[in-house]
Amino acid sequence: MPVCCEVALPVPLDRVFTYAVREGQLAQRGARVVVPFRNEKLIGVVTALGVPAPPEVELRYLEAVLDDEPLLSEQLLSLGEWMAQYYLAPLGEVLRGMLPLMAEVRRTVYYRITDLGRDVLANALDGASADSHVSKSRHGAPPGRRRGKLSPEEQDLEHRVLSRLVSGEPVKVSTLRTATAATLPVLASLVRKKWIARETAAAERDARRMERFAVLIPEARLPALTQKQQAILAELAACDGELPLTELRARDLPSSTLQTLVRRGLVRIDERPAVFRLGGLPPAAAPERLNEPQTEALASIASALGAFHTFLLHGVTGSGKTAVYLAAMQRALDRGLSSILLVPEIGLTPQTAGLLDQAFGQRVALLHSGLTPEERSEQWRRIRRGEAPIVVGTRSAIFAPAPNLGLVLVDEEHDQSYKQEETPRYNARDVAVMRAKLAGAVVVLGSATPSLESWQNSVSAKYVRLEMRERVMNRPLPEVELIDMRREFQETGQDQLFSRALVEETRAALERGEQALILLNRRGYSFAVICRACGEKLECQNCAISLTHHKPPAEDAGIAREGQRLECHYCGYRRTVPARCPKCDSEHLYYLGAGSQQGEERLGEIFPGARIGRMDRDTVRGRGDLERLLARLHSGEINLLVGTQMIAKGHDIHGITLVGVVGCDHSLSMPDFRAAERVFQLMTQVSGRAGRGDLPGRVVVQTYYPDHYAIVAASKHDYASFVERELKFRRWMHYPPFGVLANVLVQSQKLEEAVSWSGEIGKWFQQAAPEGVRVLGPCTAPIARIKGVYRFHLILKASSRKALNAALRAMLGHADAANIPRRNLVVDVDALRLM
């Protein structure tokens, strides 16, 4: 009997799979293996060895063992198992997210013909209708029904694919598409008809990034040279005899001339491992000595190193939390411990990376989704080898294989970006606490506006709270002025994007040579196009959401013009503005609302001499874009920046003295119990960008809810009064942190399936009536369709996490028995978004 092992595979099934180990294969718990799974070759992680073979099941063998030693430590495996249990996620999908090493594996897709496809092709060659044969022999349907909607060209394309595969050998997808001109949707259609089968193969590849250098050969005799050849040799001689080829190309030195020099024995080409450049922005000022509150916070953290402790570092904006982080990491490093610093978005990594580079140099590793797969693999390996004991990154960096982990820091711990919105739907803040517990490390959650869950944990003494109530160097918090936009309209008779007070304050700041920042928390030019005749909104064809208008720079505002671009921010669908309303044929189509693109245009009209920049997902598509924009802002090249909430998070620009807040209170009208908390946090965070230098700051907030407690508390920088009132509402309604919550999403591309499945689950909850769990729904999700998928949801509330977990597991068991596919059920524990 062969030795068997259990393997966790990245498939939406809540189980592990048993495989036999071939003689000579060294499989270890935590190592990656390649296994056959249906028609594919998948990469999984070994979770157990020496398990008994399942009875009456034909065993399949491991194809290959990729690792000589476990890549995932026992600590990380335990963390993954906890996450799978807590978030009800398949273990294989959890472990896949822990290993950013896809660059080290080459995946190849093949297609081959099936027996049914051979029958179809044979009948087509005999002059018979392939569809008629399939219908009669397989389905009993009338002839021609299956292919009746296909054009002759499409039928011919299908025939060409089957003919190319008729030999029976698997054919690579790239080869097949080149030979037949078939598109991926055509191949997918043939797979659904079961005329062809799709297979995948996986194999190791060398993912090291290599860089090529031109190296001068000093002892070579110099023959007669052309002017370009002399130029290349001179450049190499001036740079210690070598230069990367990329730099030679950047200097407009032709590669053909370089190859001539290589052939003549004057230059050689070397290939070396590429050096990773941390990049980032240089710090705006030299680091200050820690003040008394910073020193006290650091002392508490440093004294706890070596054992598990959780601290909530509550410091006002500009209080110097980052300086405490850096000093704490140095203390950990002095004790031979590694550290992980999480930041909520890639937008903060250039600034943070610059500070860490100055403090720790090459001992820093960077992990975030903006890196190429090869760069992520390289950084992960550096961390695992112990070359980089300081790790900084976004949420997935919490899985960094840092040896001897002693300190985990979560900056802006309240931020929603720490919650992953795809399986596994974990919150990196909570995973950080568990990672620290398993490692016996200190975890520090820092924020000026802590989440109510973290705050309540500090109240109940689960976390130790550290307070930093004043800004560094005793700088004052900015004054906040609230502008009632209802009164503004009454007094001016016009619906203006920017109030008179905000315009005057901005003009005064620019005239003084200062910088201003304006938050307009919507992308695009206008967030809807509406028909004035019938009220119809132009919606995405795939999602139940209005299309956002993105205006080309040269066009005028006003009436919606035919040909301008509309875009869905959920699925990426694009279309032009139609000439007339598709519902009533009216020509009166108008734009509704304003986004950051329109804000940039209006500011350009009001302040023609301003140097305006815009920061949103349309202008910042990569880390290079962000670094260039922030560098221009730090240098003063931009003196007026408008953008979405990206501009509110952690940026430390000393020249900004004025912040304008436009439309951040829209979410108060949304069906979300966290709306007030989010508005308070956003207002407080963006206000904190003002007055961080020598000059005092000022904030102008435009709002339609000037009396709302969240708006009033934020204008006074009064976190305590906001928390006191908000916690009362949460306690009355049994919402977190006084209860636990999960969102169960039922989805399908067929409306009738989504309705039926959600109804089935709703009936089961009614009959089972799990004790201590309240079920709301099922009902249509607030956004009823996304990417062509219909969505219904149920919200579960419970006072006990144990009761909630048990109810969800029982529900998944019933769904499996009722043949509801697991991939169509999304369980979001501790959901932050209920849309």
Side-chain angles (χ1 to χ4, degrees):
M1 195 69 167
V3 175
C4 295
C5 66
E6 288 184 345
V7 179
L9 295 176
V11 293
L13 297 171
D14 295 306
R15 51 165 296 190
V16 292
F17 299 86
T18 302
Y19 287 88
V21 181
R22 299 181 192 275
E23 188 175 347
Q25 286 181 329
L26 183 61
Q28 302 178 72
R29 176 171 152 86
R32 294 173 303 162
V33 292
V34 179
V35 299
F37 185 80
R38 295 176 182 165
N39 293 327
E40 299 189 57
K41 301 292 190 297
L42 298 182
I43 297 173
V45 176
V46 177
T47 59
L49 294 167
V51 297
E56 300 179 3
V57 173
E58 182 182 353
L59 273 178
R60 304 180 78 178
Y61 283 82
L62 302 181
E63 290 276 334
V65 178
L66 297 181
D67 306 309
D68 296 332
E69 57 183 24
L71 282 191
L72 290 175
S73 65
E74 285 297 324
Q75 185 190 114
L76 284 173
L77 283 171
S78 298
L79 181 66
E81 290 163 354
W82 173 84
M83 288 176 61
Q85 175 75 17
Y86 185 93
Y87 292 105
L88 285 88
L91 179 59
E93 296 194 335
V94 172
L95 298 183
R96 176 177 60 179
M98 287 185 166
L99 290 169
L101 302 177
M102 291 310 296
E104 298 181 4
V105 178
R106 179 183 290 108
R107 293 179 62 86
T108 309
V109 177
Y110 295 91
Y111 288 94
R112 62 173 177 81
I113 194 168
T114 63
D115 291 341
L116 180 56
R118 289 183 187 280
D119 293 346
V120 170
L121 183 61
N123 280 272
L125 292 174
D126 290 341
S129 165
D131 190 52
S132 174
H133 171 80
V134 173
S135 300
K136 290 177 181 178
S137 63
R138 303 280 179 169
H139 302 284
R145 174 173 294 178
R146 290 194 64 187
R147 298 189 72 189
K149 294 183 180 179
L150 294 181
S151 67
E153 292 79 10
E154 291 171 321
Q155 293 184 34
D156 182 60
L157 182 58
E158 291 185 342
H159 182 270
R160 290 204 303 272
V161 172
L162 295 177
S163 298
R164 178 65 181 81
L165 298 174
V166 72
S167 68
E169 293 296 321
V171 177
K172 287 174 62 174
V173 62
S174 56
T175 304
L176 184 61
R177 293 184 65 189
T178 301
T180 63
T183 62
L184 291 177
V186 168
L187 296 177
S189 172
L190 290 173
V191 171
R192 286 195 297 272
K193 294 176 183 180
K194 299 184 179 179
W195 293 358
I196 65 175
R198 181 180 184 273
E199 299 176 349
T200 63
E204 281 189 276
R205 64 179 288 263
D206 188 353
R208 290 179 300 172
R209 295 183 307 117
M210 304 302 289
E211 193 169 16
R212 302 180 74 202
F213 284 77
V215 181
L216 188 63
I217 301 177
E219 60 273 9
R221 295 180 60 185
L222 294 179
L225 300 172
T226 65
Q227 185 175 357
K228 290 181 179 178
Q229 291 170 349
Q230 292 177 19
I232 290 179
L233 294 179
E235 287 288 347
L236 294 176
C239 298
D240 295 328
E242 62 180 43
L243 267 177
L245 297 193
T246 52
E247 290 193 28
L248 280 176
R249 293 192 199 101
R251 300 180 190 192
D252 294 327
L253 297 172
S255 56
S256 58
T257 305
L258 178 64
Q259 292 305 318
T260 302
L261 292 172
V262 172
R263 286 195 300 270
R264 299 179 74 174
L266 302 174
V267 174
R268 73 172 185 270
I269 303 299
D270 287 353
E271 194 171 58
R272 307 169 189 169
V275 176
F276 181 81
R277 294 169 179 83
L278 189 63
L281 298 171
E288 301 284 344
R289 291 188 62 181
L290 299 186
N291 59 25
E292 186 177 345
Q294 289 174 310
T295 304
E296 291 175 356
L298 174 61
S300 298
I301 296 167
S303 64
L305 288 172
F308 171 61
H309 291 279
T310 306
F311 293 97
L312 175 62
L313 179 58
H314 178 220
V316 299
T317 56
S319 59
K321 293 184 289 293
T322 303
V324 175
Y325 300 156
L326 294 176
M329 284 189 279
Q330 183 62 60
R331 295 290 182 90
L333 202 59
D334 294 341
R335 296 183 57 171
L337 303 173
S338 56
S339 303
I340 297 175
L341 170 60
L342 299 185
V343 293
E345 291 205 20
I346 298 174
L348 291 184
T349 50
Q351 184 170 303
T352 308
L355 290 167
L356 291 171
D357 186 41
Q358 182 189 58
F360 304 108
Q362 286 299 308
R363 292 179 293 178
V364 179
L366 194 61
L367 280 178
H368 60 71
S369 59
L371 302 179
T372 65
E374 290 77 13
E375 287 173 333
R376 295 187 77 191
S377 175
E378 176 186 296
Q379 293 295 291
W380 194 91
R381 295 283 183 181
R382 285 184 64 225
I383 296 165
R384 188 169 180 272
R385 290 193 298 264
E387 297 172 8
I390 304 293
V391 181
V392 60
T394 49
R395 60 175 176 257
S396 61
I398 191 56
F399 305 124
N404 204 16
L405 181 64
L407 179 63
V408 180
L409 303 137
V410 185
D411 190 28
E412 310 293 358
E413 64 86 29
H414 66 276
D415 200 283
Q416 291 185 69
S417 301
Y418 286 124
K419 186 72 159 72
Q420 178 151 298
E421 295 301 325
E422 57 190 30
T423 304
R425 293 175 177 253
Y426 67 91
N427 190 317
R429 177 198 64 205
D430 300 333
V431 173
V433 175
M434 179 53 66
R435 173 87 195 264
K437 182 177 181 180
L438 292 172
V442 170
V443 60
V444 180
L445 312 178
S447 178
T449 54
S451 65
L452 295 189
E453 290 85 350
S454 295
W455 182 265
Q456 186 62 25
N457 281 334
S458 73
V459 170
S460 62
K462 286 181 68 176
Y463 299 169
V464 176
R465 192 191 312 158
L466 307 174
E467 296 277 3
M468 292 163 55
R469 294 188 175 89
E470 294 182 356
R471 285 186 159 186
V472 295
M473 301 178 68
N474 294 317
R475 289 171 181 150
L477 287 166
E479 294 182 7
V480 181
E481 178 183 3
L482 297 181
I483 305 298
D484 187 344
M485 294 303 289
R486 301 168 300 180
R487 180 176 299 175
E488 182 80 5
F489 178 76
Q490 292 172 353
E491 294 177 356
T492 63
Q494 296 179 324
D495 188 13
Q496 296 288 355
L497 179 57
F498 301 118
S499 64
R500 294 165 296 175
L502 180 55
V503 170
E504 289 307 313
E505 290 284 355
T506 304
R507 179 175 287 112
L510 297 179
E511 287 175 352
R512 293 193 300 266
E514 299 163 5
Q515 292 173 290
L517 181 153
I518 294 180
L519 170 73
L520 187 50
N521 199 23
R522 282 183 183 267
R523 279 174 59 199
Y525 192 87
S526 300
F527 51 77
V529 175
I530 191 169
C531 174
R532 286 276 176 92
C534 69
E536 179 77 359
K537 284 190 298 185
L538 297 185
E539 288 196 346
C540 174
Q541 68 175 14
N542 306 315
C543 310
I545 200 77
S546 297
L547 291 167
T548 300
H549 171 232
H550 290 259
K551 177 184 170 186
E555 295 187 4
D556 296 327
I559 297 173
R561 302 186 187 282
E562 183 181 5
Q564 294 181 337
R565 178 166 63 92
L566 299 175
E567 181 176 338
C568 175
H569 291 167
Y570 282 84
C571 72
Y573 167 75
R574 294 182 178 185
R575 63 160 296 176
T576 56
V577 178
R580 310 180 76 85
C581 172
K583 182 177 181 181
C584 71
D585 203 39
S586 168
E587 61 183 5
H588 300 296
L589 296 175
Y590 279 83
Y591 299 128
L592 187 67
S596 55
Q597 188 183 22
Q598 186 176 155
E600 180 186 28
E601 181 181 271
R602 292 283 183 265
L603 291 171
E605 295 168 355
I606 299 169
F607 309 110
R611 303 181 299 278
I612 301 174
R614 175 161 58 97
M615 184 187 290
D616 56 28
R617 294 296 178 198
D618 299 313
T619 61
V620 177
R621 297 188 179 274
R623 57 177 176 165
D625 297 333
L626 183 62
E627 285 192 22
R628 284 189 291 272
L629 183 59
L630 289 174
R632 293 174 62 205
L633 187 62
H634 277 273
S635 68
E637 182 183 342
I638 293 173
N639 63 357
L640 180 54
L641 181 69
V642 60
T644 57
Q645 62 182 353
M646 289 178 71
I647 67 177
K649 297 182 178 181
H651 303 298
D652 185 23
I653 295 98
H654 287 194
I656 293 178
T657 58
L658 176 71
V659 167
V661 183
V662 179
C664 86
D665 54 1
H666 291 316
S667 58
L668 290 175
S669 59
M670 300 293 285
D672 185 355
F673 73 93
R674 300 185 194 270
E677 182 182 8
R678 288 176 180 151
V679 168
F680 176 86
Q681 289 169 343
L682 182 58
M683 263 189 69
T684 302
Q685 292 289 337
V686 74
S687 298
R689 301 316 106 203
R692 299 173 77 93
D694 296 330
L695 298 174
R698 184 167 175 78
V699 182
V700 177
V701 178
Q702 297 182 182
T703 177
Y704 286 91
Y705 305 99
D707 300 322
H708 193 283
Y709 65 94
I711 302 285
V712 173
S715 70
K716 298 177 179 178
H717 308 287
D718 191 352
Y719 180 80
S721 69
F722 168 75
V723 166
E724 181 182 4
R725 188 159 183 179
E726 182 67 13
L727 285 177
K728 285 182 181 178
F729 296 141
R730 299 281 184 93
R731 186 179 285 108
W732 292 340
M733 301 301 294
H734 303 287
Y735 276 120
F738 301 106
V740 290
L741 179 142
N743 189 33
V744 177
L745 192 65
V746 184
Q747 51 189 13
S748 173
Q749 291 184 329
K750 297 179 180 179
L751 176 61
E752 59 272 18
E753 282 185 345
V755 171
S756 171
W757 291 340
S758 59
E760 174 66 29
I761 291 173
K763 288 178 184 175
W764 179 84
F765 272 120
Q766 281 185 338
Q767 294 168 359
E771 186 177 354
V773 179
R774 184 183 179 194
V775 181
L776 309 177
C779 65
T780 306
I783 302 178
R785 185 165 50 97
I786 293 178
K787 297 180 181 179
V789 175
Y790 293 94
R791 309 165 75 244
F792 289 77
H793 74 152
L794 305 91
I795 296 175
L796 277 64
K797 296 165 62 177
S799 57
S800 158
R801 189 166 297 282
K802 183 178 180 181
L804 178 69
N805 192 285
L808 289 170
R809 289 201 175 279
M811 179 271 296
L812 289 174
H814 173 75
D816 185 51
N819 294 319
I820 301 175
R822 182 65 173 88
R823 67 172 60 88
N824 295 85
L825 274 179
V826 175
V827 178
D828 190 359
V829 177
D830 298 337
L832 294 184
R833 293 183 176 92
L834 302 177
M835 301 300 287

